[in-house]
Amino acid sequence: MASRRDHRNVLVLATCQALGNSSRTLILATGPLIGYGLSGDKVLATLPSALLMAGSAITAYPAAQFMQRVGRRTGFSAGSFIGVGGTLLTMYALASMQFWLFAAGLFIFGTYHAFIQQYRFAAADVAPDDFKSKAISLVLAGGIVAGFIGPEVAKYSRALIAETEFLGTYAFLLFFVIASGLLVLAVDIPKPHARDAAGGGRPLPVILRQGEFVVAVLSASIGFAVMVMLMTTTPIIMTRGLDFPFSDAAFVIEWHIFAMFAPGFFTGHLINRFGVLRIVTLGNLFLAAAIATALAGQELSHFWFAMFLVGMGWNFTYTGG
């Protein structure tokens, strides 16, 4: 039976998930455009967004290990502290119009993303068995809400500081990170015992040699590669190449994020019913349909549907992996 503490933990973590993912979606909507504006060589426009993903991927394992040793609350607070540093660096880069400094700031910010990806697992750490799935779903719901918050904030704050486009937006980003770092202090998850922190599973080299592991990595990697390729270029193509207003690009990103996370409520049930390989295959079909849609035309509907499909494809390939 879920206790009052369990419900409070889920509320705190769901709110932190909403704040953390709002920061992520805000950057997804603006990062490529800022990179395009700051870079002398437009080929490098998507590099800052790529470094954001790289920073998150590189630090995902160390972040998980760190939290296993020091506990969830301390780990999340440390992640937020790093996020504040990355945000301040991006704001300085925007104010001084320095491309490489902006790229470095997003790389550092990627470390914060590595920590916030653990919110849903933290919800399941101490929840009773009959509350685990609901706890995870509620925390994921915070991510879905964030899919709309980040781009909407970006849309209305891009000219808040007239001298520098999007500087006001990144001031909101700073608020999101600080708020999540303070709020997570209210979470009540005991620090793991020493024997738990020491681990006890199979050595990593043994896991790496498994065929199932290779298939899982390929599935998730393909989903991420296609998703990132379309996601980082779409705002640039729409606003700089085809003169769509930024509000249209934000709208497309919002529904893309929704399609990425909303299936999380039922993808697991589909895998249990139809098998993981069928769901991964379906995810790849969604990715192929997204590419075909993107190539089919340049209307708003093409961009919206392509990004919605690639979000679904990412969810199925990533979850299946």
Side-chain angles (χ1 to χ4, degrees):
M1 179 70 68
S3 66
R4 179 177 296 180
R5 185 192 71 169
D6 295 325
H7 286 283
R8 186 185 68 186
N9 280 339
V10 169
L11 177 61
V12 170
L13 290 169
T15 306
C16 287
Q17 181 81 63
L19 290 166
N21 267 31
S22 293
S23 70
R24 180 179 182 178
T25 56
L26 184 151
I27 292 176
L28 294 179
T30 62
L33 297 177
I34 294 172
Y36 186 90
L38 293 180
S39 59
D41 183 355
K42 302 309 178 186
V43 172
L44 299 175
T46 57
L47 179 63
S49 297
L51 289 177
L52 172 74
M53 304 293 179
S56 180
I58 291 170
T59 56
Y61 182 73
Q65 292 295 103
F66 177 72
M67 294 175 105
Q68 192 177 38
R69 293 185 179 279
V70 304
R72 294 292 192 187
R73 182 166 58 186
T74 302
F76 286 135
S77 297
S80 295
F81 181 79
I82 295 170
V84 167
T87 305
L88 290 174
L89 187 58
T90 60
M91 292 178 69
Y92 177 77
L94 276 169
S96 57
M97 301 293 289
Q98 297 189 53
F99 172 80
W100 290 105
L101 209 57
F102 180 74
L106 286 194
F107 180 81
I108 294 170
F109 198 87
T111 301
Y112 169 62
H113 280 179
F115 280 91
I116 68 175
Q117 289 175 12
Q118 302 285 323
Y119 283 139
R120 62 188 184 277
F121 302 123
D125 277 352
V126 292
D129 290 339
D130 61 348
F131 188 59
K132 283 186 188 294
S133 60
K134 185 176 181 180
I136 294 171
S137 295
L138 289 171
V139 173
L140 283 174
I144 296 172
V145 172
F148 295 94
I149 294 175
E152 287 296 314
V153 167
K155 186 166 62 177
Y156 291 106
S157 62
R158 60 179 299 201
L160 190 63
I161 299 176
E163 295 79 9
T164 307
E165 186 180 32
F166 291 123
L167 183 57
T169 302
Y170 278 66
F172 276 97
L173 177 66
L174 183 63
F175 166 77
F176 289 151
V177 178
I178 292 175
S180 67
L182 293 176
L183 183 61
V184 80
L185 295 176
V187 78
D188 183 13
I189 299 178
K191 183 179 177 180
H193 295 294
R195 65 176 182 274
D196 298 326
R202 291 167 298 160
L204 186 59
V206 174
I207 297 174
L208 294 176
R209 289 194 295 269
Q210 286 186 280
E212 293 90 341
F213 175 82
V214 175
V215 173
V217 170
L218 285 174
S219 173
S221 298
I222 291 171
F224 256 104
V226 176
M227 186 266 291
V228 171
M229 185 178 291
L230 289 181
M231 180 179 63
T232 56
T233 56
T234 292
I236 296 175
I237 294 169
M238 290 184 68
T239 62
R240 300 298 185 260
L242 299 173
D243 293 325
F244 280 95
F246 176 71
S247 58
D248 284 347
F251 168 78
V252 168
I253 294 297
E254 286 170 4
W255 285 98
H256 165 65
I257 301 298
F258 176 83
M260 284 177 64
F261 291 102
F265 291 109
F266 58 81
T267 308
H269 298 292
L270 292 177
I271 289 173
N272 289 334
R273 181 171 180 178
F274 298 106
V276 65
L277 291 180
R278 286 191 177 94
I279 297 305
V280 167
T281 301
L282 181 60
N284 280 289
L285 290 175
F286 278 135
L287 295 177
I291 295 169
T293 303
L295 293 172
Q298 298 179 339
E299 300 296 327
L300 178 61
S301 58
H302 290 99
F303 289 105
W304 177 85
F305 194 45
M307 293 303 293
F308 190 89
L309 286 172
V310 80
M312 292 282 291
W314 173 85
N315 184 280
F316 281 26
T317 54
Y318 182 70
T319 307

